[in-house]
Structure formats: structure tokens, C-alpha cells
Amino acid sequence: MNSRDRILRDVSNNQPDISPLPSWTWPSNDQNVEEFMRTLKGIGGKSFIVANPDSIESDIIETYGEGKRIVNTSSLLKWKGLSENGESAETMEQVEVAIIDGHTGVAENGAVWVDENTMGHRVLP
């Protein structure tokens, strides 16, 4: 038996016990959303509860001001902001606000899981 086969055998024989995946707590109540927003603010992020998606453009301009380099990759919004297609990584560094669809928010640390298919340019986030 060569060294490769010994290594593969040892790895196969020393697998950890199978354990169930942790259960997810989806934001089913206002407390989870409030905790997420509080944590995000604590690490320098901003979050908004939006009553009307059509008002997001004006909310962004009101919050960040006019003339900002804003990129939106979200398919949920009619407003697209600036295009990021064909932009270089150096140009993306100049972006001041990025709007990207997130799939899961983690209340404990303010993280948002972003799928590679929705983030646009890889350096945008």
C-alpha cells in the first residue's frame, strides 16, 4: 500500500460521528428582526424596514445624499442606480453604497449571506 492509499484509508477510518444540522430560527417575530438591526448598527451597518419598495430610491437618497456612487444588483427594485456591468475592480472600489439581495440574516453577528449569483461584481460586497 502506497502513502496515498494509507492517507485515504486513515481519513476514511477517522470520520467524525454524524450529527444533525443545527435548527434555523427564521425571523418569525419582531424580536429577531430588532436584534439583527441592533447588531448590524453596532458593527457600523445600516438597515431599514421598508413599507413600500417603490420608496426605496427616495429613502436611499434621503439617507446617503445625492451624487453618491450607488450600485444596485437587486432584481427586486425598479431603480437600478449605476450599472456595475463591465466595471473593473478598481472602479468598484469607488462605490459608496451597494444594494445586493441577501438570503439569510444572522441576528447574532449582523451577517448577511449573499449568493454569488446576486452580488454582481465579485469585489462589490
Side-chain angles (χ1 to χ4, degrees), residues 29-49 105-112:
N29 61 50
D30 290 341
Q31 183 180 359
N32 292 342
V33 174
E34 288 171 11
E35 181 180 349
F36 174 82
M37 293 176 74
R38 187 173 41 255
T39 303
L40 187 62
K41 182 179 180 181
I43 61 171
K46 292 183 182 179
S47 59
F48 306 91
I49 295 177
V106 181
E108 292 83 4
N109 63 10
V112 177

Side-chain angles (χ1 to χ4, degrees), residues 52-101:
N52 179 0
D54 293 334
S55 71
I56 292 176
E57 179 181 0
S58 61
D59 292 343
I60 290 169
I61 291 170
E62 182 180 318
T63 302
Y64 296 102
E66 297 222 34
K68 298 290 184 183
R69 183 164 172 87
I70 300 171
V71 173
N72 171 38
T73 66
S74 175
S75 61
L76 300 174
L77 302 179
K78 294 175 186 170
W79 178 63
K80 292 298 177 193
L82 297 173
S83 170
E84 51 79 38
N85 293 332
E87 300 270 1
S88 67
E90 292 79 17
T91 304
M92 287 290 103
E93 185 177 17
Q94 305 300 319
V95 170
E96 298 172 273
V97 178
I99 303 165
I100 304 168
D101 290 334

Side-chain angles (χ1 to χ4, degrees), residues 19-26 113:
S19 58
L21 292 173
S23 63
W24 288 87
T25 303
W26 297 103
W113 293 17

